[in-house]
Amino acid sequence: MFRLSNLLKSVVEDKPSRVLDGSIAIWNFTNRCNLSCLHCYSKATLDSKDLLSTNDILANLPKLKESGVKFLIFSGGEPLTRHDLFEIANSCKELGIVTYLSTNGLYVKNSNAKKILDTFNYVGISIDGSPKIHDKFRGLEGAFEESMKAVRLLNSYNLSKVGIRFTITKETLPDLEFIFELCEKERIPKIYISHLVYSGRGLDNLEMDISKEQRVKAVNFIIDKAFEYYKNGRDIEIVTGNMEMDAIVFLDRFAKEYPELKSEMVKRLKSWGGNSAGRKLLNIDSKGDVKPDPFFPYTIGNLLREDFRDIWSGEDNKMLQKLRIHPRELEGKCKECKYLDICNGGSRSRAWAIYDNLWAQDPSCYLEDITKEGI
């Protein structure tokens, strides 16, 4: 993920940036879900059964910690459908693992809202546009209002722990401005904007992705908002995900606003390092399969059959070793791109989906025309 608001503030004010000291694991604890979202990479359904027991999960948490995992995102399906979720999260807390909850919000109620906030370090709730667009995208009439009830309820207890998650597609793009207005109106402190990755239903519905021209406009709008919020002192953090090339456009804008600080920003962007799948990011799915990221076409092991520490060490996995080379050794326009050490080539999952080649250029990269103008 690209924390552009934090980078902007930290460099201008000469403060340390938020640095990922350790690895992030996204764990899909269940494939059961009460919605049927058009972009769902795990194709979650309400009929899915949990395949990992509580003991399976608890036994592996110390191994994740030992392997350098310091952040664990609770995902699904809908993670709040698991009865043991709080037990798992509390075990993480005892181990010193920071926990994030990614939810659609429909199971957040008066009876559990405070418990959720007391248990998790952060809660992200998915909102994909205005009511009509969100409900269509999520496959349930009334879903928007229920999710917003959850946002408001959680915010009534704590205004610093809750944010919204928005995925850009052709259907949701017209509501990008609406999402920012919603954050401003509802005093939501964080917005995470995800670009589409071609996996699961996102691959089945590939035509929903936006064009490169649309992406350029959307990213510039997002960056404009980050600068606007910073200059106006509005405390809304903006993060983008699954499109590390956003950092290059951000760098161009930053250099125009603060030319004397460009070299420091370049230094920090290179330290951030772009796409971290298989390096500082991993995924565990509801079957216990371990992958470099949630969208990846290959597994590198399974928790029920192998020791996680051996899986994540990568000693016998050439693909994992190659993913960890930085910058990556890629083909296509990435091979000669002077910004490769910043974005690290973007998504390997998109490259595989379109070119059947993990090491090809990211087909969604929109920088070609922009970089010709000399960012």
Side-chain angles (χ1 to χ4, degrees):
M1 62 183 70
F2 178 51
R3 301 181 183 278
L4 61 161
S5 294
N6 178 260
L7 267 169
L8 172 58
K9 181 180 176 68
S10 61
V11 172
V12 174
E13 298 181 5
D14 193 24
K15 296 178 179 177
S17 305
R18 291 181 65 181
V19 178
L20 179 57
D21 179 24
S23 299
I24 293 178
I26 302 171
W27 196 328
N28 304 92
F29 287 107
T30 182
N31 207 42
R32 187 169 58 253
C33 189
N34 51 338
L35 297 180
S36 53
C37 307
L38 293 175
H39 67 313
C40 180
Y41 60 81
S42 59
K43 293 186 176 182
T45 69
L46 195 57
D47 298 326
S48 295
K49 305 295 183 183
D50 291 339
L51 300 177
L52 297 177
S53 70
T54 306
N55 288 336
D56 289 334
I57 295 167
L58 294 180
N60 275 284
L61 292 178
K63 298 176 184 178
L64 267 68
K65 174 69 175 181
E66 187 178 330
S67 300
V69 173
K70 295 189 178 181
F71 303 85
L72 185 56
I73 299 176
F74 285 56
S75 189
E78 172 47 54
L80 285 172
T81 62
R82 281 198 69 120
H83 71 280
D84 55 1
L85 199 71
F86 293 104
E87 182 181 357
I88 296 167
N90 284 324
S91 181
C92 288
K93 187 182 295 186
E94 291 172 3
L95 289 165
I97 298 174
V98 176
T99 57
Y100 293 176
L101 175 64
S102 179
T103 175
N104 60 43
L106 271 64
Y107 290 125
V108 177
K109 305 296 181 184
N110 285 314
S111 59
N112 65 5
K114 189 174 185 304
K115 186 176 182 180
I116 289 171
L117 290 171
D118 289 343
T119 303
F120 292 95
N121 297 84
Y122 173 77
V123 181
I125 296 180
S126 300
I127 300 289
D128 283 300
S130 55
K132 184 177 180 180
I133 294 297
H134 176 91
D135 291 357
K136 179 182 178 183
F137 195 68
R138 296 275 160 179
L140 180 68
E141 187 175 350
F144 174 87
E145 189 52 41
E146 291 303 309
S147 294
M148 282 306 302
K149 282 181 183 178
V151 172
R152 294 175 185 127
L153 176 59
L154 293 171
N155 268 343
S156 71
Y157 288 101
N158 191 321
L159 268 172
S160 65
K161 276 194 171 186
V162 183
I164 62 173
R165 304 168 59 87
F166 174 84
T167 300
I168 302 177
T169 67
K170 284 179 181 175
E171 288 80 6
T172 65
L173 180 60
D175 278 351
L176 180 60
E177 185 173 352
F178 168 86
I179 287 294
F180 282 91
E181 292 172 350
L182 184 69
C183 286
E184 295 164 12
K185 177 184 176 183
E186 300 281 351
R187 298 174 65 201
I188 299 169
K190 182 175 179 178
I191 175 169
Y192 174 87
I193 301 167
S194 177
H195 296 265
L196 185 70
V197 183
Y198 311 149
S199 180
R201 292 195 194 113
L203 180 58
D204 295 343
N205 298 310
L206 190 59
E207 70 280 356
M208 78 169 77
D209 200 11
I210 60 177
S211 69
K212 293 183 180 181
E213 292 76 18
Q214 289 174 313
R215 200 178 307 280
V216 169
K217 291 180 180 179
V219 170
N220 275 301
F221 175 80
I222 294 165
I223 292 171
D224 285 345
K225 296 301 287 187
F227 278 87
E228 173 192 325
Y229 289 162
Y230 177 70
K231 291 178 179 179
N232 293 340
R234 186 183 282 271
D235 193 19
I236 297 177
E237 182 183 5
I238 302 172
V239 180
T240 68
N242 304 313
M243 190 64 65
E244 291 78 12
M245 291 69 76
D246 292 351
I248 314 302
V249 184
F250 170 78
L251 174 61
D252 179 53
R253 173 65 184 276
F254 182 86
K256 291 173 181 175
E257 296 273 351
Y258 305 99
E260 72 283 3
L261 295 174
K262 180 181 178 180
S263 60
E264 176 61 26
M265 181 59 76
V266 170
K267 178 182 176 182
R268 296 203 193 193
L269 288 173
K270 288 182 178 181
S271 177
W272 164 66
N275 186 277
S276 60
R279 188 166 55 96
K280 290 187 175 182
L281 174 67
L282 66 108
N283 172 245
I284 304 170
D285 71 13
S286 61
K287 302 185 295 294
D289 286 333
V290 182
K291 298 182 287 185
D293 71 31
F295 318 100
F296 216 79
Y298 297 117
T299 63
I300 58 175
N302 182 281
L303 295 182
L304 300 180
R305 298 189 295 271
E306 302 155 80
D307 190 301
F308 175 80
R309 293 164 293 192
D310 295 332
I311 296 171
W312 190 237
S313 73
E315 289 182 1
D316 300 317
N317 192 306
K318 292 182 179 179
M319 179 185 66
L320 201 55
Q321 291 172 7
K322 193 170 180 180
L323 282 171
R324 290 174 176 173
I325 295 171
H326 188 274
R328 291 183 181 136
E329 298 171 348
L330 303 177
E331 302 169 16
K333 64 182 181 182
C334 291
K335 189 173 183 178
E336 304 298 330
C337 182
K338 63 180 180 179
Y339 301 107
L340 184 60
D341 54 355
I342 292 179
C343 78
N344 208 26
S347 171
R348 301 300 87 221
S349 301
R350 279 194 292 256
W352 172 262
I354 300 302
Y355 302 123
D356 198 26
N357 178 0
L358 279 177
W359 315 111
Q361 65 193 38
D362 184 335
S364 290
C365 177
Y366 58 91
L367 293 180
E368 190 169 56
D369 294 334
I370 298 174
T371 51
K372 284 178 181 178
E373 299 173 7
I375 289 179

